[in-house]
Amino acid sequence: MRYLVAGGAGFVGSHVVLALLDAGHTVVVLDNFSTGHRDAIPAGVQSHDVDLIDYEATAQIVAQGPWDGVFHFAALSLVGASMQDPFHYLRQNYLTSMNLIQACTAHGVKKIVFSSTAALFGGPERPDPIAETALIQPGSPYGESKFMIERVLHWADQIYGLKSACLRYFNAAGADPKGRAGEDHRPETHLIPLTIDAVLGRRPALKLFGLDYPTKDGSCVRDYIHVTDLADAHIRVLDHIHDHSVVYNLGNGRGYSNLEVIQSVERVSGKKVPWEPAPRRLGDPAVLVADSTTLRQKTGWSPCWGELDKIVETAFVWRQNNPGGYKA
Ligand SMILES: NC(=O)c1ccc[n+]([C@@H]2O[C@H](COP(=O)([O-])OP(=O)(O)OC[C@H]3O[C@@H](n4cnc5c(N)ncnc54)[C@H](O)[C@@H]3O)[C@@H](O)[C@H]2O)c1
């Protein structure tokens, strides 16, 4: 099979590229390398340096099919930055995705898998765990932009028959267990790589925002899903969207607190993590855990790397072996 991966040089996209190659498929990457890394693309994989904001350039690549499916990971994805610059986020994520989706409908693509987000569930009445039926109430322009794209995909199916899987991820984490890829966001905002860098002495003491939440130890609880499990779900879901589109929540289903992440990094590294308490951040919910029952039942997917220590260990090994991340 032959797949086009938009955003394949980024964290999640590069792991899906590896999973597709491991399964014997041919992959072509489209990326503008704004947050992704050329070195994240495995040798021999064709890549196109294209910005999705350019419809003609995007359509030219999509026209080089046939594709058995398209994966769409490309986005601006910092919640805080989207609060600072809402129109840029809304415009950029919406228009770039519209361009890719329109090009897919124009060039006979039958299936697309889209990276949506748990940030759709921003309201105060969030259930625990969060199923697909929970109220959509994005807490940021970033979350809103992803919902807008889900709606574009709805109409692309209704009018053009483009089948889609919108996968609403929770916190992607970990690294390729074979050490071929890892997490290198710049700036890094995710707790696990930040904690690892703190224990490796590559950054000052970690700030832990809020220790007075109504949780087991007072710190926030999040659902960390190993990026290899995430990649597996993407490939499985393709086989289930021949004749209908789907929207699934995609997480590990287990909540780990911030303090548990610190303890895990201490177990894996054998060292104390330097950290200090800080006040709560505005808008941080106490608990965010996915109910992925529907995805599990429909596709047979289940996480193989669900234990926190396994997630942390793969991330730790990658960051230890790649002190500067991917080459600049
Ligand atoms: N990482 C997470 O925990 C998480 C959680 C929920 C949702 N998501 C979503 O999953 C997707 C992947 O996340 P990630 O962590 O791998 O992000 P990332 O920033 O590492 O990867 C995004 C990739 O898309 C490329 N890109 C961005 N804008 C582009 C454009 N206009 N044209 C072409 N390429 C472009 C970047 O260069 C990068 O390679 C994103 O859409 C994100 O919103 C991620």
Side-chain angles (χ1 to χ4, degrees), residues 142-221:
Y142 163 68
E144 189 74 49
S145 72
K146 292 283 182 177
F147 187 52
M148 287 156 64
I149 300 160
E150 288 195 3
R151 298 306 301 162
V152 175
L153 285 168
H154 166 79
W155 288 110
D157 182 1
Q158 293 295 304
I159 297 172
Y160 297 101
L162 174 65
K163 302 302 173 207
S164 58
C166 296
L167 300 180
R168 296 169 174 165
Y169 313 163
F170 284 60
N171 293 56
D176 175 46
K178 293 183 183 154
R180 298 168 294 178
E183 184 166 14
D184 184 5
H185 291 110
R186 301 179 195 183
E188 190 53 77
T189 58
H190 297 102
L191 181 64
I192 291 178
L194 289 176
T195 310
I196 291 172
D197 279 2
V199 91
L200 290 173
R202 293 182 187 154
R203 53 172 297 112
L206 183 79
K207 282 193 171 21
L208 210 55
F209 299 107
L211 284 167
D212 55 352
Y213 286 98
T215 57
K216 47 190 163 188
D217 58 21
S219 64
C220 287
V221 170

Side-chain angles (χ1 to χ4, degrees), residues 6-14 29-37 48-54 58 72-78 92-93 96 114-119 142 146 167-173 183-185 190 225 227 230 234:
F11 173 46
V12 182
S14 60
V29 168
L30 180 163
D31 204 294
N32 70 352
F33 301 98
S34 53
T35 57
H37 308 276
H48 298 279
D49 189 343
V50 163
D51 195 317
L52 291 174
I53 202 73
D54 180 342
T58 301
H72 178 25
F73 300 100
L76 300 177
S77 43
L78 296 175
Q92 185 73 13
N93 282 350
T96 52
F114 167 59
S115 306
S116 191
T117 174
Y142 163 68
K146 292 283 182 177
L167 300 180
R168 296 169 174 165
Y169 313 163
F170 284 60
N171 293 56
E183 184 166 14
D184 184 5
H185 291 110
H190 297 102
I225 176 167
V227 67
L230 205 56
H234 282 71

Side-chain angles (χ1 to χ4, degrees), residues 226 228-229 232 236 252 254 301-307 310:
H226 195 287
T228 299
D229 285 330
D232 179 35
R236 281 172 186 265
N252 190 356
R254 301 192 214 180
W301 173 84
S302 67
C304 297
W305 295 84
E307 298 292 332
K310 282 190 183 178

